[in-house]
Amino acid sequence: MYAFLIVFKIRAENERLEEMGELFWIILFGACIWVPLIWNKIAIGKRIADEEKKAGRDLTGEINPFTGGRM
């Protein structure tokens, strides 16, 4: 009886480790997707702010929102 409980406990711990491994890969994959997207939006926002500061006015209708450059 005790041997069964020990084997069951080891199997449960292994399954828990497998689930943690899956969670690690999901988080890593998600970070690889989201971090560059967020970085890109921040970079475009900074570029638009620099263009507006250089022009000294609001360039809402004149700047391409996808590249941050003038159209």
Side-chain angles (χ1 to χ4, degrees), residues 17-62:
L17 287 175
E18 288 176 7
E19 289 175 2
M20 290 183 68
E22 291 174 6
L23 181 61
F24 168 76
W25 288 110
I26 290 171
I27 291 172
L28 182 67
F29 182 73
C32 288
I33 297 287
W34 286 105
V35 169
L37 290 174
I38 292 169
W39 190 288
N40 184 30
K41 298 300 177 194
I42 291 170
I44 290 173
K46 285 184 174 183
R47 182 171 176 188
I48 289 173
D50 289 343
E51 288 277 340
E52 288 181 343
K53 187 184 288 184
K54 193 175 5 176
R57 60 192 175 94
D58 183 23
L59 300 173
T60 301
E62 301 174 29

